[in-house]
Amino acid sequence: MRDYLEFEQPLREIEEKIEKLSAAAAGGKTSAQNDIRKLRAKFAQVEYELYQNLTPWQRTQLARHSQRPSTLDYINELSRDFLELHGDRTFGDDRAIVGGFARFNDRTVMMIGHQKGKTLKERMQRNFGMPNPEGYRKALRLMRMAEKFNRPIITFIDTPGAYPGIGAEERGQAEAIARNLLVMSRLTVPIISVVIGEGGSGGALALGVSDRVLMLEHSVYSVISPEGCAAILWDNPAKVIDAASALKITAKDLLDLGVIDDIVPEPLGGAHREPKAVCTLVGKALTNQLFDLTDLSAEQLLTRREQKYRKIGAVGGLSPAEPHEPSPS
């Protein structure tokens, strides 16, 4: 049986009935076959209706699914000759972020992303995908290397957020994230980011200042988790569903707001149901985006990147495309 999430329990109940009837049919009970066919038809209908009406909180649960394809899954499926590079040359190697050169469509690119792991042991080794400062400094070192050799950068975003531990703060977590934002805004090579799962807070944004930002259909991207928002605004964990809706964290919401540039569809049931199919869809999307960016000059890339982020939102009634000019004192 599948690994069902809480909101998928109606599907679990139908599948359990199918399993029982299948055992009866194997024992020679012929009437069970008709019941099985009816239940399978009902399963398909319930599944379709369920995934056509997912709430933001349900999408968050899908985005966090432990068997969802990870950064290394995409790298291994989409590229060849991946050469992982380690360390920030200052403190150490953070396994919550992986990166290195790889061949994508017969072109060398730099691939970098958060890595959560799937089993409990892997997740502990990867710190559940929550990087320390050295992880972001490693990513920055690799991005600068890509710029040096004039190679496009592809980042995969999948993290609850940067690690909030005391050691991380002592080693300059905020500065490391801020420097990534600054440098990524000025890199002279194409940058494409894909939110493949959970894009949480500055820990996600530190790999997300890009020319094009894509999101998988059931991924989420937010300044804070629904749990954190519910705790701050209502001091009530039960408000997590309301918080998820208010935050506008889904791919459709963010596309409408202009925060992202495109949505990559997922198979019915989520990316973890058909990992290879999802990797193929992501590969096609990346190919199209790289094709659009390849012929742009460094000056054009920087100009368009700046315009892209100036157009997101508005403050104090000002046009987002026009920076505020302070009046002379």
Side-chain angles (χ1 to χ4, degrees):
M1 292 182 63
R2 297 178 180 178
D3 181 14
Y4 287 107
L5 297 169
E6 181 181 356
F7 70 88
E8 296 175 309
Q9 291 310 306
L11 297 176
R12 175 191 286 274
E13 293 171 2
I14 297 174
E15 187 174 17
E16 286 175 348
K17 292 178 181 178
I18 292 174
E19 290 289 327
K20 291 179 181 178
L21 287 172
S22 296
K29 190 175 180 181
T30 55
S31 62
Q33 293 295 340
N34 288 332
D35 293 334
I36 290 173
R37 281 193 291 270
K38 291 179 182 178
L39 283 172
R40 284 177 176 164
K42 182 179 180 181
F43 183 95
Q45 180 182 357
V46 172
E47 185 178 40
Y48 177 80
E49 293 175 353
L50 180 65
Y51 283 96
Q52 288 298 308
N53 300 285
L54 290 175
T55 67
W57 175 239
Q58 289 168 342
R59 291 186 191 275
T60 303
Q61 292 175 284
L62 276 175
R64 295 171 174 173
H65 198 287
S66 62
Q67 297 305 309
R68 198 171 175 84
S70 66
T71 291
L72 286 176
D73 291 326
Y74 287 103
I75 291 175
N76 293 332
E77 189 68 28
L78 297 177
S79 68
R80 58 184 176 86
D81 300 331
F82 175 58
L83 177 63
E84 185 175 356
L85 301 172
H86 299 271
D88 67 341
R89 300 299 185 265
T90 301
F91 182 82
D93 183 47
D94 188 344
R95 298 190 66 191
I97 285 186
V98 297
F101 286 114
R103 296 288 291 176
F104 175 69
N105 290 343
D106 294 323
R107 179 176 185 177
T108 300
V109 300
M110 178 65 76
M111 291 187 165
I112 306 169
H114 303 95
Q115 181 68 21
K116 284 183 175 179
K118 290 186 169 63
T119 67
L120 178 59
K121 182 178 179 180
E122 289 175 350
R123 289 188 167 226
M124 291 177 67
Q125 291 173 342
R126 302 284 184 181
N127 201 33
F128 297 85
M130 296 185 290
N132 281 277
E134 48 271 20
Y136 293 114
R137 290 176 180 134
K138 173 170 71 172
L140 185 61
R141 180 175 75 85
L142 301 188
M143 287 187 242
R144 282 176 165 156
M145 188 183 298
E147 182 182 44
K148 178 180 179 180
F149 294 107
N150 194 31
R151 302 300 179 186
I153 299 168
I154 298 172
T155 69
F156 298 96
I157 296 171
D158 187 19
T159 180
Y163 185 60
I166 294 175
E169 298 298 338
E170 290 174 341
R171 295 193 299 278
Q173 184 73 285
E175 186 274 340
I177 292 173
R179 188 166 298 278
N180 276 32
L181 305 185
L182 173 66
V183 174
M184 289 187 78
S185 69
R186 298 178 178 178
L187 290 173
T188 56
V189 293
I191 313 171
I192 304 172
S193 296
V194 188
V195 183
I196 59 175
E198 186 178 12
S201 192
L205 195 59
L207 297 186
V209 181
S210 312
D211 298 294
R212 303 286 168 81
V213 181
L214 314 178
M215 281 183 71
L216 288 186
E217 181 182 0
H218 299 315
S219 61
V220 294
Y221 197 25
S222 176
V223 68
I224 191 172
S225 69
E227 294 92 335
C229 179
I232 292 172
L233 293 185
W234 294 288
D235 192 23
N236 183 356
K239 290 286 188 178
V240 67
I241 297 175
D242 296 330
S245 299
L247 284 168
K248 303 296 182 185
I249 60 179
T250 68
K252 184 181 182 304
D253 288 332
L254 294 168
L255 184 64
D256 291 342
L257 292 169
V259 175
I260 66 168
D261 301 288
D262 202 3
I263 299 173
V264 180
E266 296 186 29
L268 190 66
H272 58 286
R273 300 291 187 219
E274 299 181 46
K276 288 187 179 294
V278 172
C279 288
T280 299
L281 291 170
V282 170
K284 289 179 180 178
L286 289 173
T287 298
N288 293 335
Q289 298 295 342
L290 271 178
F291 179 81
D292 291 341
L293 297 171
T294 295
D295 294 332
L296 297 179
S297 67
E299 183 179 357
Q300 288 174 315
L301 279 172
L302 292 173
T303 299
R304 292 190 180 194
R305 199 178 299 157
E306 180 184 9
Q307 291 174 347
K308 169 185 170 62
Y309 286 96
R310 284 194 180 279
K311 289 178 181 177
I312 298 175
V315 179
L318 296 172
S319 168
E322 299 177 2
H324 173 61
E325 292 290 344
S327 58
S329 56

